[in-house]
PDB file of all heavy atoms in Angstrom:
ATOM      1  N   ASN N 207    -193.238 -41.725  51.263  1.00 99.00           N
ATOM      2  CA  ASN N 207    -192.869 -42.477  49.969  1.00 99.00           C
ATOM      3  C   ASN N 207    -191.452 -43.053  50.063  1.00 99.00           C
ATOM      4  O   ASN N 207    -190.629 -42.383  50.720  1.00 99.00           O
ATOM      5  CB  ASN N 207    -192.886 -41.519  48.763  1.00 99.00           C
ATOM      6  CG  ASN N 207    -194.249 -40.789  48.658  1.00 99.00           C
ATOM      7  OD1 ASN N 207    -195.173 -41.288  48.037  1.00 99.00           O
ATOM      8  ND2 ASN N 207    -194.378 -39.604  49.311  1.00 99.00           N
ATOM      9  N   LEU N 208    -191.211 -44.153  49.582  1.00 98.00           N
ATOM     10  CA  LEU N 208    -189.936 -44.783  49.591  1.00 98.00           C
ATOM     11  C   LEU N 208    -189.589 -44.881  48.169  1.00 98.00           C
ATOM     12  O   LEU N 208    -190.253 -45.496  47.289  1.00 98.00           O
ATOM     13  CB  LEU N 208    -190.097 -46.211  50.199  1.00 98.00           C
ATOM     14  CG  LEU N 208    -188.873 -47.158  50.004  1.00 98.00           C
ATOM     15  CD1 LEU N 208    -187.754 -46.764  50.849  1.00 98.00           C
ATOM     16  CD2 LEU N 208    -189.282 -48.575  50.218  1.00 98.00           C
ATOM     17  N   VAL N 209    -188.320 -44.480  47.908  1.00 98.00           N
ATOM     18  CA  VAL N 209    -187.607 -44.725  46.467  1.00 98.00           C
ATOM     19  C   VAL N 209    -186.304 -45.279  46.667  1.00 98.00           C
ATOM     20  O   VAL N 209    -185.423 -44.504  47.181  1.00 98.00           O
ATOM     21  CB  VAL N 209    -187.558 -43.423  45.680  1.00 98.00           C
ATOM     22  CG1 VAL N 209    -187.164 -43.788  44.191  1.00 98.00           C
ATOM     23  CG2 VAL N 209    -188.948 -42.599  45.530  1.00 98.00           C
ATOM     24  N   MET N 210    -186.163 -46.599  46.349  1.00 98.00           N
ATOM     25  CA  MET N 210    -184.833 -47.244  46.559  1.00 98.00           C
ATOM     26  C   MET N 210    -184.019 -47.134  45.154  1.00 98.00           C
ATOM     27  O   MET N 210    -184.637 -46.984  44.145  1.00 98.00           O
ATOM     28  CB  MET N 210    -185.021 -48.666  46.858  1.00 98.00           C
ATOM     29  CG  MET N 210    -185.838 -48.851  48.131  1.00 98.00           C
ATOM     30  SD  MET N 210    -186.066 -50.727  48.518  1.00 98.00           S
ATOM     31  CE  MET N 210    -187.406 -51.079  47.317  1.00 98.00           C
ATOM     32  N   GLY N 211    -182.723 -47.102  45.289  1.00 97.00           N
ATOM     33  CA  GLY N 211    -181.887 -47.110  44.078  1.00 97.00           C
ATOM     34  C   GLY N 211    -180.601 -46.442  44.436  1.00 97.00           C
ATOM     35  O   GLY N 211    -180.273 -46.112  45.591  1.00 97.00           O
ATOM     36  N   ARG N 212    -179.774 -46.158  43.331  1.00 97.00           N
ATOM     37  CA  ARG N 212    -178.457 -45.601  43.688  1.00 97.00           C
ATOM     38  C   ARG N 212    -178.386 -44.211  44.141  1.00 97.00           C
ATOM     39  O   ARG N 212    -179.270 -43.387  43.731  1.00 97.00           O
ATOM     40  CB  ARG N 212    -177.655 -45.785  42.258  1.00 97.00           C
ATOM     41  CG  ARG N 212    -177.501 -47.210  41.893  1.00 97.00           C
ATOM     42  CD  ARG N 212    -176.689 -47.117  40.595  1.00 97.00           C
ATOM     43  NE  ARG N 212    -175.374 -46.711  40.711  1.00 97.00           N
ATOM     44  CZ  ARG N 212    -174.320 -47.220  41.231  1.00 97.00           C
ATOM     45  NH1 ARG N 212    -174.355 -48.576  41.553  1.00 97.00           N
ATOM     46  NH2 ARG N 212    -173.222 -46.747  41.436  1.00 97.00           N
ATOM     47  N   GLY N 213    -177.425 -43.894  44.978  1.00 97.00           N
ATOM     48  CA  GLY N 213    -177.464 -42.532  45.482  1.00 97.00           C
ATOM     49  C   GLY N 213    -177.143 -41.445  44.311  1.00 97.00           C
ATOM     50  O   GLY N 213    -177.725 -40.385  44.373  1.00 97.00           O
ATOM     51  N   SER N 214    -176.341 -41.881  43.364  1.00 97.00           N
ATOM     52  CA  SER N 214    -176.024 -40.894  42.264  1.00 97.00           C
ATOM     53  C   SER N 214    -177.208 -40.661  41.411  1.00 97.00           C
ATOM     54  O   SER N 214    -177.336 -39.637  40.672  1.00 97.00           O
ATOM     55  CB  SER N 214    -174.787 -41.349  41.400  1.00 97.00           C
ATOM     56  OG  SER N 214    -175.109 -42.677  40.972  1.00 97.00           O
ATOM     57  N   VAL N 215    -178.259 -41.502  41.390  1.00 97.00           N
ATOM     58  CA  VAL N 215    -179.454 -41.322  40.716  1.00 97.00           C
ATOM     59  C   VAL N 215    -180.616 -40.771  41.446  1.00 97.00           C
ATOM     60  O   VAL N 215    -181.131 -39.677  41.295  1.00 97.00           O
ATOM     61  CB  VAL N 215    -179.990 -42.692  40.023  1.00 97.00           C
ATOM     62  CG1 VAL N 215    -181.123 -42.559  39.224  1.00 97.00           C
ATOM     63  CG2 VAL N 215    -178.747 -43.269  39.204  1.00 97.00           C
ATOM     64  N   ILE N 216    -180.986 -41.472  42.529  1.00 98.00           N
ATOM     65  CA  ILE N 216    -182.141 -41.215  43.346  1.00 98.00           C
ATOM     66  C   ILE N 216    -181.691 -39.969  44.215  1.00 98.00           C
ATOM     67  O   ILE N 216    -182.461 -39.014  44.263  1.00 98.00           O
ATOM     68  CB  ILE N 216    -182.595 -42.328  44.194  1.00 98.00           C
ATOM     69  CG1 ILE N 216    -182.867 -43.572  43.332  1.00 98.00           C
ATOM     70  CG2 ILE N 216    -183.832 -41.987  45.011  1.00 98.00           C
ATOM     71  CD1 ILE N 216    -183.910 -43.560  42.317  1.00 98.00           C
ATOM     72  N   GLY N 217    -180.609 -40.057  44.980  1.00 98.00           N
ATOM     73  CA  GLY N 217    -180.294 -39.006  45.842  1.00 98.00           C
ATOM     74  C   GLY N 217    -180.043 -37.659  45.024  1.00 98.00           C
ATOM     75  O   GLY N 217    -180.591 -36.699  45.519  1.00 98.00           O
ATOM     76  N   ASP N 218    -179.403 -37.759  43.974  1.00 97.00           N
ATOM     77  CA  ASP N 218    -179.192 -36.598  43.167  1.00 97.00           C
ATOM     78  C   ASP N 218    -180.427 -36.000  42.653  1.00 97.00           C
ATOM     79  O   ASP N 218    -180.574 -34.737  42.777  1.00 97.00           O
ATOM     80  CB  ASP N 218    -178.193 -36.943  42.012  1.00 97.00           C
ATOM     81  CG  ASP N 218    -177.710 -35.844  41.343  1.00 97.00           C
ATOM     82  OD1 ASP N 218    -176.942 -35.065  41.991  1.00 97.00           O
ATOM     83  OD2 ASP N 218    -178.066 -35.619  40.093  1.00 97.00           O
ATOM     84  N   ALA N 219    -181.379 -36.873  42.241  1.00 98.00           N
ATOM     85  CA  ALA N 219    -182.620 -36.231  41.617  1.00 98.00           C
ATOM     86  C   ALA N 219    -183.407 -35.660  42.824  1.00 98.00           C
ATOM     87  O   ALA N 219    -184.208 -34.633  42.578  1.00 98.00           O
ATOM     88  CB  ALA N 219    -183.487 -37.430  41.144  1.00 98.00           C
ATOM     89  N   LEU N 220    -183.310 -36.251  44.044  1.00 98.00           N
ATOM     90  CA  LEU N 220    -184.072 -35.601  45.173  1.00 98.00           C
ATOM     91  C   LEU N 220    -183.460 -34.286  45.488  1.00 98.00           C
ATOM     92  O   LEU N 220    -184.249 -33.307  45.710  1.00 98.00           O
ATOM     93  CB  LEU N 220    -183.771 -36.667  46.339  1.00 98.00           C
ATOM     94  CG  LEU N 220    -185.008 -36.761  47.362  1.00 98.00           C
ATOM     95  CD1 LEU N 220    -186.377 -36.969  46.814  1.00 98.00           C
ATOM     96  CD2 LEU N 220    -184.551 -38.100  48.286  1.00 98.00           C
ATOM     97  N   VAL N 221    -182.261 -34.265  45.732  1.00 98.00           N
ATOM     98  CA  VAL N 221    -181.695 -33.017  46.067  1.00 98.00           C
ATOM     99  C   VAL N 221    -181.760 -31.911  45.138  1.00 98.00           C
ATOM    100  O   VAL N 221    -181.903 -30.687  45.491  1.00 98.00           O
ATOM    101  CB  VAL N 221    -180.056 -33.280  46.188  1.00 98.00           C
ATOM    102  CG1 VAL N 221    -179.179 -31.906  46.350  1.00 98.00           C
ATOM    103  CG2 VAL N 221    -179.776 -34.313  47.451  1.00 98.00           C
ATOM    104  N   ASN N 222    -181.936 -32.200  43.825  1.00 98.00           N
ATOM    105  CA  ASN N 222    -182.095 -31.162  42.773  1.00 98.00           C
ATOM    106  C   ASN N 222    -183.456 -31.014  42.344  1.00 98.00           C
ATOM    107  O   ASN N 222    -183.749 -30.157  41.573  1.00 98.00           O
ATOM    108  CB  ASN N 222    -181.229 -31.654  41.612  1.00 98.00           C
ATOM    109  CG  ASN N 222    -179.797 -31.401  41.946  1.00 98.00           C
ATOM    110  OD1 ASN N 222    -179.221 -30.303  42.364  1.00 98.00           O
ATOM    111  ND2 ASN N 222    -179.038 -32.454  41.830  1.00 98.00           N
ATOM    112  N   HIS N 223    -184.488 -31.633  43.057  1.00 98.00           N
ATOM    113  CA  HIS N 223    -185.932 -31.542  42.614  1.00 98.00           C
ATOM    114  C   HIS N 223    -186.497 -30.198  43.144  1.00 98.00           C
ATOM    115  O   HIS N 223    -186.385 -29.947  44.297  1.00 98.00           O
ATOM    116  CB  HIS N 223    -186.657 -32.673  43.112  1.00 98.00           C
ATOM    117  CG  HIS N 223    -188.096 -32.764  42.342  1.00 98.00           C
ATOM    118  ND1 HIS N 223    -189.098 -31.860  42.456  1.00 98.00           N
ATOM    119  CD2 HIS N 223    -188.499 -33.705  41.433  1.00 98.00           C
ATOM    120  CE1 HIS N 223    -189.991 -32.261  41.749  1.00 98.00           C
ATOM    121  NE2 HIS N 223    -189.673 -33.348  41.097  1.00 98.00           N
TER     122      HIS N 223
END
Side-chain angles (χ1 to χ4, degrees):
N207 304 273
L208 166 75
V209 188
M210 299 178 284
R212 296 181 63 83
S214 54
V215 178
I216 307 299
D218 192 64
L220 208 48
V221 167
N222 291 300
H223 198 293

